[in-house]
Amino acid sequence: MAREFIVEADGGSRGNPGPAGYGAVVIDAATGETLAEAAEYLGVVTNNVAEYRGLLAGLRAAHALDPDAAVHVRMDSKLVVEQMSGRWKIKHPDMKPLATVASRVFPPDRVTYEWIPRAENKHADRLANEAMDAGKRGEQWSASTSTAELDTRASAPPAERGPERPRVTGDAVAGAAAARAALAAPRKGRGAGTSAAPPRGHDQPPLTGTVTTTDGTTADTRAARTVATPGWSSAPDLGAPATFVLLRHGETPLTPQKRFSGSGGTDPALSEVGLDQARRVGEALARRGTIEAILASPLTRTRQTAAAVADRLGLDVTIDEGLKETDFGAWEGLTFGEVRERHPDDLTTWLADPQAHPTGGGESFAETATRIAATRDRLVAAYAGRTVLLVTHVTPIKTFVQLALGAPLQSLFRMELSAASLSAVAYYADGNASVRLFNDTSHLRP
């Protein structure tokens, strides 16, 4: 008999858009026991995007526990519940790809949705607020310091937090019977509490955020299985991964001088060296013969690099705004030494805090990471099982790698990425990611 889970999820944004985070909890529908928690600080996004990210995290955590389970989702977001049940249309471009990916975590006939009042979603709400508080401190949420479940139990009616149910959360026990009834009810398609998109197996993008179970040693085992061993799974139907081949553009006149060159500067073109590098990459990729589509950042240097490769491979180039470089504000065109001389305090803060912005505005690394994560989710859904060339820049490529490894944002400062280098990340249908290549420049050698 299939296991039955309740997923409670929430997301919040302090400003809408503003600093945001999500929380999600997986509960045993039979006992009300908390099985897993997930939370993550997202940077600056809207409240609705944060709610969808919470839903995704909850579904992925449930899938990691048992990919064959039946799931009843309870959320206090009427929008998400109605859209995922197929009763409301999804019009916002930021939410369409998230809803599509959420619908593919489990087969649609195994997921039902229910709206609940905010007062009945306290556990997930507290996790989301913990994540936002951690982000304000420049940290990510940590399960080891979370008190969300204890706080929720403390606020629950005495009958729900007695010693006979040591890990009951909120009113999960009170709702478990209703959830089991919903899970057992026959599915009647959209409008009957099922998910919104047609079945596509278990396709889903990589797991983000932090997932933990509440049972000590088991938590370590599950975390190792779902996070620390990317690319491996016992599921028999993973199929081919979505593989992103990440190509940094060729040299520009600013590259050898190591000047900041983001999306807010002069938008330099490739130098003669850069044009030759682009041709060499095209030849190398033609020999490999695996690229099925090409996407590029809208900046001149990436468009030129992509055009040279596309000409050799006989493919078209699709421009994607999500792949553009970070905006470095007033630092555009300056060397690191010049920035240190002119803006020492701003540079020190920027190096220590992923939330900090370059002088004069621009984009923080945390904001870039949020943008790249959304781009990744959208493209993984669009190119499942295919190998795609993404022609982009230093910070986006490092961020794709950082997210795949689950490393902190500070790891971006510990990666070296050469002009016209190739890296690759594979995204599997069970939610794992595997870094297959990094900073390969062998094609540039004589």
Side-chain angles (χ1 to χ4, degrees), residues 141-154:
W141 177 82
S142 171
S144 63
T145 60
S146 174
T147 61
E149 182 175 12
L150 293 175
D151 293 344
T152 303
R153 286 190 61 218

Side-chain angles (χ1 to χ4, degrees), residues 173-254:
V173 170
R180 288 195 296 274
L183 288 164
R187 271 65 171 177
K188 300 179 182 179
R190 293 188 185 185
T194 61
S195 57
R200 285 278 305 273
H202 292 175
D203 293 350
Q204 54 182 302
L207 182 65
T208 58
T210 304
V211 176
T212 183
T213 58
T214 57
D215 53 337
T217 303
T218 307
D220 294 337
T221 302
R222 288 170 180 159
R225 186 180 68 216
T226 61
V227 178
T229 55
W232 293 90
S233 172
S234 59
D237 57 348
L238 292 183
T243 301
F244 294 170
V245 178
L246 306 167
L247 170 60
R248 186 191 171 192
H249 60 81
E251 279 191 14
T252 75
L254 301 183

